[in-house]
Amino acid sequence: MDNKFKNICVMGLGYIGLPTASLLATKGYKVHGVDVTPSVVETINEGKIHIVEPGLDILVKSAVGSGNLKAGLQPEAADVFIIAVPTPFIGDHEPDLTYVKQAAEAISPYLKPGNLVILESTSPVGTTNLLADILAEKGHTPGEDIFIAYCPERVLPGQIIVELVQNDRIVGGINKDSTKTTAEFYNTFVSGKVLETTAKTAEMVKLTENSYRDVNIAFANELSLITDANDINVWDVIRLANRHPRVNILKPGPGVGGHCIAVDPWFIVSQNPELAKIIRTAREVNDSKPEWVMNKVRTYASKFKNPVIGCLGLAFKADVDDLRESPALNIVKQIQQEKLGELVICEPNLKSHDEFELFSLQDTLQKADVILLLVDHKEFSGLTAVMLKEKLVIDTRGIIL
Ligand code: SAJ
């Protein structure tokens, strides 16, 4: 490969780190992936995957098979270090930067002059400079002997492999040299535009993107409550309002799930408690939607002596098998906990589930008194009100025609 970066060390082999490491390996880089979980390291070294994402299995197999990707528990010397570790929140929605700090400590002994350290994890504003401070304390001179930048991941679960290459990237270094060197690196494998800015701006851009989406989904969710209270069909309202050239309302649902949209806005709120009013309220509106759905279930189930509740979908969104922070799964668990009826669950993207028996769509429809549609998977798209006329239906995604 004709560029100055040859060896890459990727810290964290989850939903972002593993696809990134594999992609770089298939582009000819020598990649050493690091994860704290021994079983993850073993699985990857066998050319297999521990997470599900379309196309990832083939990518990892070919990356490991080529000899360009290997995984380990400890970092190794490299030209570029990419940090893609989780940044969850703790307590009252305060960001938890433990994993970023641990990654910084772990790579420090391996850093050499000229190295590039890139943070990809979604992080509160100031984290890239914090990373630089940690490395400075260890004797490095960030911005001079090592370059440090933030380049947030922006890929959509379900389309990660394509979006890793095609999406525009935002690169914000702790100084100009860091920004330039990082942009140069991304330009070797990204077909989208690589846009340069400062670390702080790049951090804010990432939080802004997901907060923007959360606020817009909250608007749709609030609208669904208002229309329901007024006996108006929310889907008709949205469809017709969206015919206005400057209106584009998103879809209501049973709540907002996944590891990103329901988390990242809190980073803005926790740093700006007085100012972030809409962002906080949006989070609260979206977080309260599952309870609204539960009230519907309670009402409908109470109409039967021994209700059978057919739940369509467990995943956090359409056409994925990802159950992380899934409102659908939480609602199903709540129904079980409150013993509201016999559960019959259909999740076409899973073969089995540890806790729940899964049924075919046909069996679910046939057995259920109440149909609770929780995820707009493509398998459910042909359902019509006529087909379900014997049932009580709660369609949280508006796909039943
Ligand atoms: N949802 C709705 N109504 C909608 C759209 C989404 O209820 O109209 C729900 C989904 O069902 C799901 C949740 O919102 O429960 C989030 O789904 P999503 O598809 O909006 O987003 P994620 O979490 O899969 O990925 C997001 C993306 N961010 C944006 O689109 C701004 C992705 O590009 C980010 O890289 C990712 O977060 C991340 O990792 O931060």
Side-chain angles (χ1 to χ4, degrees), residues 138-168:
K138 300 266 167 205
H140 304 285
T141 316
E144 288 180 29
D145 68 346
I146 54 167
F147 303 109
I148 302 182
Y150 184 59
C151 180
E153 62 84 8
R154 308 169 98 190
V155 288
L156 192 73
Q159 297 178 36
I160 292 180
I161 310 295
V162 174
E163 293 204 359
L164 263 183
V165 176
Q166 291 181 358
N167 286 4
D168 291 349

Side-chain angles (χ1 to χ4, degrees), residues 16 122 152-158 163 167 206 208-214 216-218 220-221 249-262 264 286 315-318 320 322 324-327 374-376 396-397:
I16 302 301
T122 303
E153 62 84 8
R154 308 169 98 190
V155 288
L156 192 73
E163 293 204 359
N167 286 4
K206 171 66 197 190
T208 300
E209 291 166 2
N210 281 354
S211 301
Y212 169 85
R213 195 153 170 85
D214 198 43
N216 280 281
I217 299 169
N221 275 332
I249 304 168
L250 292 180
K251 294 182 193 153
V256 167
H259 253 33
C260 312
I261 307 240
D264 305 351
N286 287 334
F316 90 88
K317 66 174 188 176
V320 299
D322 191 343
R324 293 179 305 163
E325 311 298 326
S326 168
L374 290 165
V375 191
D376 42 346
T396 70
R397 299 280 186 174

